[in-house]
Amino acid sequence: MIDTLELTAIPPEDEALRADVRAFLSDTLDGLEPDERARSWMGFDAAFSRQLAERGWLGMTLPREHGGAARGHFARFVLSEELLGAGAPVSAHWIADRQSAPLILKYGTSSQRDFYLPRICRAEAFFCIGMSEPGSGSDLASIRSRATPVAGGWRLNGSKVWTTNAHRSHYMIALVRTSGSPEDRHQGLSQLIVDLSLPGVSIRPIKDLAGDSHFSEVFFDNVELADDALIGAEGAGWAQVNAELAFERSGPERLYSSIALLECWLTQCRTVSHDASDRAALGSILSQMAVLRAMSLAVAGRLAAGGSPATEAALVKDLGTELEQALPRLIGDALGRRPDMPPPLPLLRTLAYLEQVSPTFSLRGGTREILRGIIARGLGLR
């Protein structure tokens, strides 16, 4: 059963980080247009990620012996909130920092931790996630990519799709079948680290409606992996990936994908006259965002206490992406009610971009239908 989420406050020592991050971002991102800020955790800038690493802002929750800052989940929440709120281009390191590093720390061998974690903290190793496959989507239990045991390691065949930043990443953590058949569902699945420079790996970027190429198809043709590519126990991939998804689904990125548009519209409202309908729309947006932020903080508190709040994270992700997707429509409607006051071009460009990409918000990290199934099971309804 899902537990009650408790109101959680950010400890003062972690809240104190906010001023330093905000000052750094104010200098670094000065002049970045709103439609570029709207890309934020889909905006890839390896040099920016290295700047964060130099300040000790990658791997914040990792132990110092692995290159981390030994801070808690609340410190990372503050950092993430400021980065996303400012529209910083964080995509290069985001997946490695958010979920690959904690996964390796928890399930990896000592040699895996020693090799990968310092490189993640230095922004030298970028990761992508190999979960979805053609014909399976969010039904991860039906995947068909297979790693066969061979002398000295594994031979990997199959494919993945909708893999964010695969063409720009150094490694993939892939969920694959190592025994049994797709009909076995959760049994026989394992996670492997795949060096994407290996022979037999081919990557085909997918261009989206906005003209960006965040996603890719990835193909494995007899890719030879060493024994130490396996993370955790063979056949334990399903439990491991569910723990990993709690990190992916719970963070503030599930609230702030449209925040650049909201900021741009707020600027418009402050500089021109606004009416009661604008105030009502803004009040509705901000009240929902405040509740969702409190829920996200409560999940961060569970993670800080060593829990694995998969159901609670799914709930935050589902409700958060619902609001993210509604924002372009709500703001577009508000602008449409004021034809006498044409909005500035930066606001229109930002609105146009988010109208194109917002349908993906409820797909990435698990579709709405999958998430609601997880929530129903957590509530004992199925």
Side-chain angles (χ1 to χ4, degrees):
M1 291 288 289
I2 188 172
D3 294 324
T4 302
L5 284 171
E6 302 289 342
L7 283 174
T8 305
I10 297 173
E13 63 271 19
D14 294 324
E15 186 64 38
L17 176 65
R18 196 179 299 275
D20 289 342
V21 178
R22 193 169 291 183
F24 164 75
L25 293 174
S26 178
D27 291 339
T28 307
L29 304 181
D30 184 43
L32 193 66
E33 291 294 322
D35 57 313
E36 289 299 320
R37 293 176 186 267
R39 283 161 168 82
S40 195
W41 66 283
M42 299 299 285
F44 192 100
D45 187 336
F48 178 80
S49 294
R50 286 192 289 271
Q51 285 183 281
L52 295 181
E54 289 167 3
R55 286 161 176 78
W57 292 345
L58 297 192
M60 291 191 75
T61 63
L62 298 180
R64 294 189 185 280
E65 61 264 30
H66 297 305
R71 299 286 296 266
H73 288 280
F74 291 114
R76 189 182 184 281
F77 189 98
V78 168
L79 175 66
S80 298
E81 198 166 45
E82 289 301 316
L83 290 170
L84 297 168
V90 298
S91 184
H93 70 268
W94 199 253
I95 289 171
D97 180 71
R98 179 184 65 186
Q99 61 199 95
S100 303
L103 180 82
I104 293 169
L105 179 66
K106 184 173 183 178
Y107 297 108
T109 63
S110 59
S111 60
Q112 287 172 335
R113 293 193 291 268
D114 290 344
F115 181 82
Y116 294 107
L117 298 184
R119 287 168 171 79
I120 290 173
C121 294
R122 295 193 299 264
E124 295 173 358
F126 302 147
F127 278 70
C128 60
I129 308 166
M131 292 189 187
S132 295
E133 292 189 2
S136 64
S138 289
D139 183 15
L140 298 182
S142 68
I143 62 174
R144 297 178 179 275
S145 292
R146 178 177 290 275
T148 305
V150 295
W154 306 86
R155 179 175 294 122
L156 176 61
N157 285 281
S159 64
K160 297 291 178 180
V161 72
W162 310 121
T163 308
T164 302
N165 286 337
H167 58 304
R168 294 163 165 165
S169 295
H170 304 101
Y171 303 99
M172 171 192 287
I173 295 183
L175 182 67
V176 302
R177 190 161 295 282
T178 51
S179 64
S181 67
E183 288 70 30
D184 295 322
R185 304 294 290 168
H186 305 156
Q187 305 301 313
L189 297 175
S190 303
Q191 288 184 297
L192 299 173
I193 300 178
V194 182
D195 182 338
L196 295 175
S197 68
L198 288 172
V201 178
S202 57
I203 302 172
R204 185 184 304 160
I206 301 170
K207 184 171 288 189
D208 63 24
L209 285 174
D212 296 324
S213 297
H214 301 303
F215 304 115
S216 294
E217 298 175 280
V218 184
F219 301 92
F220 309 113
D221 182 12
N222 290 322
V223 179
E224 299 291 336
L225 303 175
D227 275 330
D228 62 0
L230 178 69
I231 301 179
E234 193 277 326
W238 182 255
Q240 292 176 194
V241 83
N242 275 282
E244 177 185 357
L245 286 170
F247 291 100
E248 179 176 354
R249 291 169 174 164
S250 62
E253 63 265 39
R254 304 307 179 183
L255 311 180
Y256 296 151
S257 295
S258 299
I259 196 70
L261 175 61
L262 179 58
E263 290 277 4
C264 213
W265 181 52
L266 277 172
T267 300
Q268 167 84 350
C269 290
R270 292 183 182 117
T271 55
V272 303
S273 63
H274 51 274
D275 58 18
S277 63
D278 288 340
R279 291 192 293 273
L282 181 59
S284 174
I285 291 167
L286 294 182
S287 61
Q288 293 179 70
M289 187 167 286
V291 172
L292 287 165
R293 180 180 183 270
M295 293 174 67
S296 187
L297 261 177
V299 173
R302 292 281 178 83
L303 292 170
S308 183
T311 304
E312 294 87 343
L315 180 63
V316 172
K317 194 269 185 185
D318 183 31
L319 295 174
T321 53
E322 190 170 14
L323 176 61
E324 286 183 326
Q325 286 180 327
L327 275 173
R329 173 180 53 79
L330 292 170
I331 293 174
D333 289 347
L335 295 173
R337 288 192 294 267
R338 306 297 301 275
D340 56 315
M341 293 183 178
L345 283 176
L347 174 53
L348 287 178
R349 286 198 302 267
T350 308
L351 176 61
Y353 170 72
L354 285 167
E355 282 182 329
Q356 290 175 313
V357 302
S358 61
T360 68
F361 295 169
S362 58
L363 299 176
R364 59 196 188 193
T367 64
R368 183 159 288 147
E369 293 77 10
I370 291 293
L371 291 173
R372 291 180 179 177
I374 293 169
I375 295 164
R377 282 195 298 274
L379 293 171
L381 299 177
R382 58 180 292 187

